[in-house]
Amino acid sequence: MTLYSRITGTGSYLPPHRLTNADLAAELAAQGVETSDDWIVERTGIRARHFAAPDVCSSDLGLEAARRALQAAEVDAKDIDLIIVGTSTPDMVFPSTACILQNKLGANGCAAFDVQAVCSGFIYALSIADAMIKTGAAKKALVIGAEVFSRILDFKDRTTCVLFGDGAGAVVLEASDTPGILASDLHADGKHVGILCVPGHVSGGNVLGKPLLKMDGQAVFKLAVGLLDGAARTTLAKAGKTAADIDWLVPHQANIRIMQSTARKLKLSMDKVIVTVDQHGNTSAASIPLALDAAVRSGKVKPGELLLLEGVGGGFTWGAVLLQL
Ligand code: UT7
């Protein structure tokens, strides 16, 4: 009997403080930085984002998302034997956000670690959890994407600070004899480190470099569209499927124009693309599970449907996961 891993519950959480483009533009104007709702909507599709309160960390957002996913899956936290958190905004240098979250959740004892693949973090984490379940190393996993990108934004740089938001999404992934995750595909190319990075580190009790997000938006945009298309096709081919078989594309939510280009290349109608970037902005590793949970809870995405999840981000990292819900 083939062993699969299957998503049995989804959950997500957004911090309550919501800023529309107009709210953010007013705050930026007070600091002499000029932007507008029109520019942000036209170039990105973003209309609002959520920012966490100063004392709220990625583990707090991830915890709420995890609780909701466990509730949806009807799984007790004590039965979880693996926790993987995709994040680039961890609570501390160490221990991992996964360990901090595990303790808050009361799932102490199980394996727990972070995956740092920036906006591809959830795709990486889901692929790893799938592989661990298929080898028998785990039976019930919590896979989480949680970010507080507001902490690493340079609010003097209008080309980046209007794009990102905070949030978390989670899934419970369980061993199953019915599919499940059908195929995945992961990649990285470190030669692109410089086009999307937070070039700071801790040394001797000080932060060296500039620990704020820096991005060459146009270079990222061009690279992203081609890489996502390649990962989508490879993943579909591994499972003997084509784009025409997909019920829903759940892409990383960075920019509506990237999603439109990806859909066009796959000859998919935008009606089959889950879009939440308008309400969440880019929440990095949290964006895919946030979008998935929104689509599941709204009743748009239904059990048994075929979903292609795809992500791209700093590193450069990229990948896709094909699954039957
Ligand atoms: O998670 C993965 C990582 N991120 C991404 O996927 C992002 C990929 N890149 C993008 O989404 C787009 O490149 C951006 C949204 C970042 C920028 O859009 P663009 O269409 O590539 O704009 P641009 O950089 O070519 O800038 C056009 C103009 C410039 O003015 P000039 O030189 O034409 O006078 C910018 O200075 O827009 C100006 N601009 C702004 N104006 C108002 C840049 N940012 C802003 C802003 N408000 N926030």
Side-chain angles (χ1 to χ4, degrees), residues 88-257:
S88 301
T89 47
D91 293 21
M92 297 185 191
V93 172
F94 74 77
S96 68
T97 301
C99 285
I100 298 168
L101 187 152
Q102 182 215 50
N103 186 47
K104 288 177 179 169
L105 189 63
N108 305 60
C110 70
F113 60 93
D114 288 359
V115 167
Q116 217 281 37
V118 199
C119 301
S120 312
F122 183 76
I123 295 291
Y124 266 65
L126 192 60
S127 304
I128 296 164
D130 171 52
M132 288 181 72
I133 285 176
K134 282 179 178 153
T135 62
K139 285 196 169 56
K140 287 184 198 293
L142 255 176
V143 186
I144 301 159
E147 302 278 16
V148 283
F149 256 55
S150 58
R151 305 279 154 77
I152 52 167
L153 296 178
D154 180 352
F155 287 98
K156 292 196 164 45
D157 177 8
R158 67 176 183 172
T159 69
T160 54
C161 72
V162 301
L163 306 175
F164 296 88
D166 302 339
V171 302
V172 174
L173 195 70
E174 294 190 59
S176 166
D177 51 15
T178 55
I181 292 184
L182 302 175
S184 64
D185 187 46
L186 299 180
H187 298 275
D189 187 347
K191 78 167 174 279
H192 301 296
V193 164
I195 62 170
L196 178 49
C197 57
V198 178
H201 67 277
V202 175
S203 175
N206 298 306
V207 176
L208 300 187
K210 197 176 176 195
L212 293 175
L213 189 145
K214 190 175 131 221
M215 176 168 74
D216 177 345
Q218 288 196 356
V220 169
F221 193 112
K222 280 183 206 137
L223 210 53
V225 174
L227 296 177
L228 287 172
D229 188 53
R233 288 177 195 280
T234 308
T235 309
L236 286 164
K238 281 184 186 176
K241 306 271 185 197
T242 69
D245 297 317
I246 300 172
D247 291 305
W248 297 101
L249 182 68
V250 189
H252 170 48
Q253 309 284 316
N255 186 322
I256 189 72
R257 288 155 54 217

Side-chain angles (χ1 to χ4, degrees), residues 4 15 30-31 39 54 64 91 122 180 192-193 222 230-231 305 309 313:
Y4 295 96
Q31 300 172 48
W39 189 94
E64 289 307 319
D91 293 21
F122 183 76
H192 301 296
V193 164
K222 280 183 206 137
E305 290 187 322
L309 281 46

Side-chain angles (χ1 to χ4, degrees), residues 238-300:
K238 281 184 186 176
K241 306 271 185 197
T242 69
D245 297 317
I246 300 172
D247 291 305
W248 297 101
L249 182 68
V250 189
H252 170 48
Q253 309 284 316
N255 186 322
I256 189 72
R257 288 155 54 217
I258 296 181
M259 292 184 244
Q260 286 162 343
S261 300
T262 319
R264 208 176 302 124
K265 277 176 173 276
L266 290 172
K267 298 195 167 55
L268 278 180
S269 148
M270 279 306 283
D271 293 345
K272 292 193 161 195
V273 182
I274 301 298
V275 176
T276 52
V277 71
D278 55 332
Q279 295 305 317
H280 304 164
N282 182 346
T283 57
S284 192
S287 94
I288 294 172
L290 257 167
L292 176 63
D293 185 51
V296 167
R297 284 176 195 260
S298 70
K300 209 170 192 181

